[in-house]
Amino acid sequence: MKSLPLVALLWAAAAHGTPAADYQQYCESCHGLNRIGATGPALLAESLGRIKPDEVRKVIEQGRPASQMAGFSAQLSAAQIDGLASFLQQPPATPATWSEQNIRGSHRLLADLSQLPSTPQHHADPLNLFVVVESGDHHIDILDGDHFTVLDRFASHFAVHGGPKFSPDGRFVYFASRDGWISLYDLHNLKLIAETRAGLNTRNLAVSKDGRWVLVGNYLPGNLVVLDARDLSLVKTLPTGSRVSAVYTAPPRNSFVVALKDVNEVWELPYAAAQPSWEPRRIAARDVLDDFSFSPDYRQLLATSRKAGGGQVIDLDSGAVISDIPLAGMPHLGSGTYWRRDGKWVFATPNISQGHISVLDPVTWKLIKQIPTLGPGFFMRSHINSRYVWSDVFFGPDNDAIHLIDKQTLQIAHTLRPVPGKTAAHVEFTRDGRYVLLSIWATDGALIVYDSQTLEEIKRLPMNKPSGKYNVGNKIEFAEGTSH
Ligand code: DHE
């Protein structure tokens, strides 16, 4: 028998009976050495930050229904479970790292693209497909947007977050999971093509306008990762010296724009060259940026910092901060939306800490109207052919309500309560704007399809906590009213 090195024996002796030893004995086989995840999700403090400590304890004790996570109340005492729950909130003894070598080692090709037909192998309109994230059991549905039938359903990595992003022709879709896994799926052949783990804790991804590059923004390690969009192979990592709040593509600028969470800078990475240098243009901001959106021409960036409150407008050409935005609470600019009112653009944003929608003039950045709602909201959506902007009430006792705001009068025209007592959130329109799809955000939830004019319910598909849904045509055209 091979003997263990002395240091390992000493560690094992010291760790015996400790939460670290319990982790090794009961958790490591699924959640990985150093808690970075394996078949189960990563259990780093960054990964668990969104889960309340009591919930962590409950999951260890009782497991998670309909998942591989079993309950450990029979094997572990209450004190051991408490110890494990607090151990998981601490950073690991050896800081978790994810190098270029790790990224390369994680890369998997799941299908040979050169052997697959390059035309749709289904009968649905490829530009009216929907990609739906079922966050309850970590699955993705591909939906025919004319008949609202499911063409494919497959398991995603743990906790896909942020909007999946599309290749410019709409054939490929890219997903980012909070655990850092990036997946590439072919909507013509309904097949997963490749996956790579780009980090240990990821914010989101962006795809370049020309479809050649995928940029991933990470919290852990604090960096940017450039992948080849054809197969997700690693091109380059760029350390940022900061966690990355979010990355976006700015199509008219031929660049990626990056918000940083720990330093007062915005980065712009031009990608028009045949071989981009990936040298960032660093733009000074007045504060760290948590959340941002662009003006319709992508010349200006409006951004908020959750620490400071309010926001700032940065001119991306000159790099100057040109205005403050008069917004209280926590506006969720990333979910804000534009439309035309009396021939002029307006911008509206929900607020995740206060019950109102703020409507701004995107030329003067003055507040046009604050629309009181039944509670703080998360997502807003509209369509050029819709009279209304749909805005959810995500938080509080009225989270089952959804407001339809008249785009011209700026009044709430209707408040729907699709399933009383269950959160109604996040909508997306069909490509022509005729129908709108809404999530009932519950494990026994549903996707409800409404006629966007008559507001009549057309169809209801049972789903497990459906979160975001994304229409291929609206997304690749960067259509008015949808997220980018
Ligand atoms: Fe999100 C998009 C940040 C919590 C569901 N969320 C985004 C984006 C950012 C962001 C920067 C835009 C990325 C993109 O689309 O490429 N989200 C944050 C946060 O900072 C916050 C508040 C805390 C966090 O821990 O990250 C947060 N988000 C949540 C949730 O709790 C939600 C409701 C459930 C979940 O899945 O985690 C959630 N976020 C979403 C969804 C989108 C999103 C569904 C895509 C919106 C779209 O329509 O494009």
Side-chain angles (χ1 to χ4, degrees), residues 46 49-50 133 135 159-165 178 202-206 219 245-248 261 290-292 306 330 332 334-335 352 378-381 394-395 425-428 441 467-470 475 482-484:
E46 290 82 354
R50 304 175 57 253
V133 177
S135 61
V160 164
H161 173 240
K165 300 287 159 20
R178 286 195 187 258
T202 288
R203 292 303 287 164
N204 74 326
L205 64 77
Y219 264 10
S245 296
V247 297
Y248 287 98
K261 202 172 168 71
D290 277 303
D291 191 14
F292 69 97
R306 297 202 177 124
M330 284 190 200
H332 193 13
S335 290
I352 55 179
F378 222 107
F379 303 107
M380 290 183 79
R381 271 290 203 284
F394 203 85
F395 304 96
H426 195 282
V427 308
E428 173 88 312
W441 203 293
S467 54
K469 61 209 72 63
Y470 310 87
K475 284 286 174 279
T482 191
S483 64
H484 291 175

Side-chain angles (χ1 to χ4, degrees), residues 214-270:
V214 173
L215 184 72
V216 182
N218 288 325
Y219 264 10
L220 189 66
N223 69 2
L224 295 164
V225 177
V226 184
L227 303 174
D228 186 322
R230 284 173 304 187
D231 62 359
L232 301 183
S233 55
L234 177 66
V235 175
K236 198 172 174 62
T237 57
L238 301 162
T240 44
S242 160
R243 289 170 296 167
V244 175
S245 296
V247 297
Y248 287 98
T249 187
R253 308 180 65 79
N254 269 307
S255 64
F256 289 119
V257 177
V258 178
L260 299 175
K261 202 172 168 71
D262 305 309
V263 293
N264 295 6
E265 283 178 15
V266 179
W267 286 15
E268 183 167 29
L269 303 171

Side-chain angles (χ1 to χ4, degrees), residues 92-210:
T94 315
T97 53
W98 198 247
S99 64
E100 293 200 344
Q101 201 185 350
N102 293 131
I103 299 175
R104 287 202 179 89
S106 70
H107 183 218
R108 290 176 212 151
L109 288 173
L110 306 170
D112 181 354
L113 205 50
S114 66
Q115 301 300 311
L116 294 175
S118 59
T119 51
Q121 301 300 297
H122 52 75
H123 299 293
D125 173 355
L127 296 188
N128 196 30
L129 295 178
F130 282 84
V131 172
V132 184
V133 177
E134 278 191 78
S135 61
D137 60 357
H138 310 283
H139 274 70
I140 307 291
D141 298 273
I142 309 299
L143 215 70
D144 173 341
D146 292 317
H147 303 100
F148 309 113
T149 49
V150 176
L151 299 179
D152 190 22
R153 185 172 194 272
F154 56 93
S156 69
H157 278 282
F158 181 77
V160 164
H161 173 240
K165 300 287 159 20
F166 296 85
S167 60
D169 61 358
R171 173 171 173 186
F172 298 108
V173 55
Y174 301 85
F175 301 94
S177 81
R178 286 195 187 258
D179 266 3
W181 282 98
I182 309 302
S183 308
L184 163 59
Y185 180 88
D186 179 353
L187 289 165
H188 283 359
N189 291 288
L190 305 176
K191 262 192 182 10
L192 274 164
I193 301 297
E195 57 185 23
T196 298
R197 193 172 188 187
L200 295 177
N201 194 258
T202 288
R203 292 303 287 164
N204 74 326
L205 64 77
V207 175
S208 61
K209 170 189 156 188
D210 55 19

